[in-house]
Amino acid sequence: MGFSFLHILIIVLILVVLFGPNKIPKIGKSLGEGVRNFKKALSEEPEIDVTQSIKTIKSKKTKVQIIHKMYLILFFKERKNDLK
């Protein structure tokens, strides 16, 4: 079952009544741009380089571990000095 000319005419009239004749081209343009951007996003490779992010996270993790170890060493040295 397809759309007949009468069905399409009724849909167009409802759209004109709801949005007005000036808004319909803007809505069509926005929908077209949205579909075009979606297709473009699907066909392109992602812009985010995951390997760099992983390297950054690993380097930050090791820096945090080093700082934590230094803190523990200093903390226990202070505690040791306090006990004397």
Side-chain angles (χ1 to χ4, degrees):
M1 181 174 160
F3 286 108
S4 70
F5 179 73
L6 184 60
H7 290 113
I8 294 173
L9 185 63
I10 291 173
I11 291 171
V12 169
L13 286 175
I14 291 172
L15 289 175
V16 169
V17 169
L18 288 177
F19 298 110
N22 295 332
K23 288 276 187 177
I24 292 175
K26 292 177 185 177
I27 293 170
K29 181 181 176 187
S30 297
L31 285 172
E33 287 177 355
V35 170
R36 195 174 318 118
N37 288 335
F38 182 73
K39 287 181 180 179
K40 183 180 175 186
L42 286 178
S43 65
E44 290 180 353
E45 290 190 25
E47 296 178 8
I48 300 171
D49 186 13
V50 178
T51 56
Q52 284 293 346
S53 299
I54 292 172
K55 288 178 183 177
T56 305
I57 290 170
K58 285 183 178 178
S59 68
K60 286 182 180 179
K61 183 179 176 184
T62 55
K63 287 178 186 176
V64 169
Q65 288 174 340
I66 291 170
I67 292 171
H68 182 70
K69 286 181 183 178
M70 290 173 58
Y71 172 77
L72 288 176
I73 290 169
L74 291 173
F75 177 75
F76 283 114
K77 276 187 179 181
E78 290 293 321
R79 294 280 311 228
K80 198 174 188 182
N81 288 338
D82 288 343
L83 293 175
K84 288 185 180 182

